[in-house]
Structures are given as structure tokens and as C-alpha cells.
Amino acid sequence: MQLSPRDEEFRQRVRQWLTENLTGRFAALRGAGGPGREHEAHEERLAWNRHLAAAGWTCLGWPAEHGGHDATLAQQVIFYEEYARSGAPARVGYLGEELLGPTLIAFGTPEQQRRFLPAIAAVQELWCQGYSEPGAGSDLAAVATTAALDGDRWVITGQKVWTSLAAEADWCFVLARTQPGSRRSAGLSYLLVPMRQNGITVRPIRQLTGTAEFNEVFFDGARTERDLVVGEIGDGWRVARATLGIERGVATLGQQIGFERELSRLVELARRTGADTDPLLRGKLARAWIGLEVMRAHALRTVAADPATATGAEPSVLKLLWSRWHQELGELAMEVHGASAMVARGAPYDLDDWQRLFLFSRADTIYGGSDEIQRTIIAERALGLPRQARP
Ligand SMILES: Cc1cc2nc3c(=O)[nH]c(=O)nc-3n(C[C@H](O)[C@H](O)[C@H](O)COP(=O)(O)OP(=O)(O)OC[C@H]3O[C@@H](n4cnc5c(N)ncnc54)[C@H](O)[C@@H]3O)c2cc1C
């Protein structure tokens, strides 16, 4: 991607702002909230995110009329790169900013946009994504949670699962069946539901890392207002798919700078432990570096590609590249550590960053569409193989 002098000036501005602001009470947040560390310093990270918002560093790519900054693709890439490079903490409002916000801009009513977008941009309201259910994961069209109108409110009954950050969220975008007796993708609607109410119970699910990034969410007569349906009633599948398809390529480039930091920390660890003289581990470290270069080249090509010539499989290729790469990095970290990697730092389950990364990265090949599903998309869209039989 070709950067203009204005882009370089923008980079300097982002870098300087981050250097000047990741100080004082925010200095301790560097690196906080990463994989398996999402429990860390939530309130402080929220304050940091609001500080970012007040300075105009959230929702860069959104149109200015919706509270964004009309940033170019290059500027967004630069921001994510500099953000990751600075070590600033994982952001708490990304589900609203990256998934729901763009969906509301595309499908929301002017009232919904006015009601929700400013609060997302200011990080005043946090969102979670209520898609998956015990019987509907990869096969999302099997959603069984129902919503029925009772006067001017929807009454929602059912269960969602693996809902990231539900315990912290103020609102949830919920895919629910609003047409009784409907099947598969017909009869679903996309509802905006307040989380803090009696009809909702959130039960954290303890993960391998010992922490609970995701949750079970039970809707037992939960309520939301009649006009909080995004898109038409019964047309929720189209809206839900649009949310899933929202290009995350730009944020992925920032994620790769984070990966680069992890890899260079691992190389340092190998130097300290003497693993840098082991020919097998040296080979694996070199392969990890190559993998990162391949991923970066692919991501840059994807975000800069002409949509007219794209197959539609590019995001799936990227997902496969990064999920496998990151899992292998976790495994390599355990090898570099040696036998001590198997022991917690302290009782009862105090893990170090590498152990957390290794354990949390098992999820990388599942969330955001599992590896098997991505390969099916590649087979069908890039190779033109026959469509897999759907249930
Ligand atoms: C860390 C994490 C965070 C998550 N956060 C959220 C969230 O915030 N909100 C939300 O709604 N969901 C969330 N999820 C859920 C995630 O989207 C699902 O786990 C994922 O879609 C897979 O669904 P499943 O777990 O039901 O597995 P299943 O769909 O039951 O799949 C089980 C296995 O079978 C394979 N499989 C399934 N169908 C096929 C097929 N057609 N062809 C070949 N293989 C197949 C899968 O690849 C997988 O290996 C999260 C998951 C994780 C791990």
C-alpha cells in the first residue's frame, strides 16, 4: 500500500498522541486485556477507551455524519498499526464499533442510528453478539430463541451461548425467531436488547485460561421495544449475514503488529533460555517469521483489492492463515519454555502470558467461523466446487 506524505504525517500524529497519552494512570495498561487476559483492568480500560473517544480516535472509518471521521483505508491501517505497536490495551468496545455500528449505518432507521451510534463512538455503551446457541453454531440458521410481540414490546425466550463480554455489555444484538413455526433462515429478526433487566441471566463459562471471556445468556421473558428491530421483521438473516461479512481486514493488520510483538518477545525468550541454539526451534522461529510475512502480504493485498475481481474467499484465507499461525506460536512458546511451561506460576492457577496465549489460542480456529467452515467457503467461492449439502 502506497503511503502519501499526508499519511506519514497522520502516522506521526497517531504515534505522538499515543506516546503522550499512554502515561500516568494509563501507563500500567500496556498489554492489558489480551488473549486470556480479558478479565484484567476492565474499568481502567473503559476509562482509556473513553479517553481515546474524546480525542477522536474511535470509529475512524465511519462516515462523519454518524459520528465517525471519514478516515481513508490507509489511515485506518496506520491507526491500527500504531495502536498495536504502542502496546495500548485491548479495546473494550470493538463489538459495537466494528460489528454493530457498521450494521446500523447500513440497515438501521435514522432513530436507531441517532439513539445508538453516538454512545458506541463515545464508548458509553458496550455491546455483545447474541448469535450462537447450544444447537446453532456453524449452522446458525438453526436459531431457536424466539421473540413475540406483546403490545409495544418484544418478549424474548431462549438461550445464547459463547457470548463474549456479555457480563460487561449494556446491550446485545440478538438473532431470534419472530415468526412462529418458521424454519431455517426465514422468520428470523435482528433485535437490539438491553442486557440489564430481570429477564436476562448471564452465566460466565470458565475457559482453559481460568478466566471467562464468554458466557451463557438466558432470556426468560426478556423485553425490548417494538421498534428495536434492525431491518424488516423476518429479514434478520440478511442483516445478521451482513454483520458477519463486515470486512475486518483493516483491524487484522493491527492484529498482525500485535503478533509481531509476540514473536519478537518469543525470540528474546529463546535467547534467554538458550533455546536459540536448538536447530529445530531455530527453524520453527524462522518459519513463524515467514508465516507473518505471508500473512501481512495477503492482508495488504486483500484490503487494497478491487472488490470487482475478488472471489469473496479472501477473508477466509486470512482467517485460516492467522488462526493457524497464532496457535502454532502458542505451541512454539511452550517448546521454548521447556518443561516449566507445564507448571502454573502460583496456586491455584496463576498462568503467565505464554501459557495464557497457548491456551486461549485453541479458540482461534473456532470463533469467527471455524477452520472447516472457512475451507468450505474457499472450496465453493475460490475453487468453484459444488455447494456442500446444507441441513
Ligand atoms: C472465544 C470464542 C468467542 C466467541 N464469541 C461469540 C460471541 O460473542 N457471540 C456468538 O454468538 N458466538 C460466539 N462464539 C461462538 C462461535 O461463533 C461458535 O463456536 C462457532 O460458530 C462454532 O459453532 P459451535 O461451537 O456450535 O460448533 P459446531 O458448529 O457444533 O461445530 C463443531 C465442529 O464441527 C465442525 N463443523 C460444523 N459444521 C460443519 C460443516 N458443515 N462442515 C465441516 N465441518 C463442520 C466445526 O468446524 C467444528 O469443528 C465464540 C466462540 C469462541 C471460541
Side-chain angles (χ1 to χ4, degrees), residues 129-132 137-138 161-164 213-214 360 363 366-367 370 372-373 388:
Q129 177 180 26
Y131 278 19
S132 306
S138 305
V161 73
W162 321 128
T163 318
S164 296
E213 186 260 1
F214 55 37
F360 194 89
I366 303 172
Y367 66 83
S370 70
E372 289 76 11
I373 298 301
Q388 187 188 53

Side-chain angles (χ1 to χ4, degrees), residues 136-151:
S138 305
D139 182 21
L140 188 58
V143 157
T145 293
T146 61
L149 268 178
D150 176 17

Side-chain angles (χ1 to χ4, degrees), residues 147-156 178 189 191 221-229 233:
L149 268 178
D150 176 17
D152 57 1
R153 306 216 157 205
W154 292 99
V155 180
I156 304 133
T178 45
S189 297
L191 301 173
R223 282 164 192 267
T224 197
E225 288 165 30
R226 184 189 187 112
D227 57 3
L228 293 187
V229 177
I233 295 171

Side-chain angles (χ1 to χ4, degrees), residues 137-291:
S138 305
D139 182 21
L140 188 58
V143 157
T145 293
T146 61
L149 268 178
D150 176 17
D152 57 1
R153 306 216 157 205
W154 292 99
V155 180
I156 304 133
T157 308
Q159 185 199 339
K160 298 290 174 180
V161 73
W162 321 128
T163 318
S164 296
L165 307 178
E168 290 81 17
D170 304 291
W171 287 83
C172 185
F173 45 101
V174 175
L175 190 58
R177 201 160 287 286
T178 45
Q179 194 182 320
S182 62
R183 291 197 65 248
R184 310 294 302 161
S185 57
L188 297 171
S189 297
Y190 192 105
L191 301 173
L192 308 177
V193 182
M195 287 296 286
R196 303 192 199 287
Q197 56 170 306
N198 287 337
I200 295 184
T201 307
V202 175
R203 207 156 69 189
I205 302 174
R206 192 159 181 257
Q207 292 163 241
L208 281 172
T209 49
T211 59
E213 186 260 1
F214 55 37
N215 306 265
E216 291 178 293
V217 180
F218 298 91
F219 296 86
D220 187 12
R223 282 164 192 267
T224 197
E225 288 165 30
R226 184 189 187 112
D227 57 3
L228 293 187
V229 177
V230 183
E232 297 299 317
I233 295 171
D235 197 26
W237 184 247
R238 194 163 68 95
V239 183
R241 279 175 59 90
T243 306
L244 288 176
I246 284 166
E247 181 60 71
R248 299 194 66 198
V250 180
T252 308
L253 281 162
Q255 177 195 39
Q256 285 168 27
I257 304 286
F259 288 173
E260 197 178 301
R261 284 165 59 87
E262 286 173 352
L263 179 59
S264 46
R265 279 183 42 230
L266 186 58
V267 171
E268 273 168 39
L269 179 70
R271 287 209 177 95
R272 277 205 308 278
T273 59
D276 60 341
T277 56
D278 179 319
L280 284 178
L281 291 182
R282 285 163 68 97
K284 287 184 182 180
L285 287 167
R287 267 214 300 281
W289 183 83
I290 294 166

Side-chain angles (χ1 to χ4, degrees), residues 315-323 364-369 374:
S316 299
V317 175
L318 191 55
K319 171 79 211 298
L320 283 174
L321 285 174
W322 78 250
S323 60
D364 289 343
T365 49
I366 303 172
Y367 66 83
Q374 305 303 336

Side-chain angles (χ1 to χ4, degrees), residues 74-85:
Q75 288 174 338
Q76 294 172 62
V77 170
I78 289 169
F79 177 78
Y80 281 115
E81 285 184 348
E82 290 302 321
Y83 192 86
R85 192 167 279 134

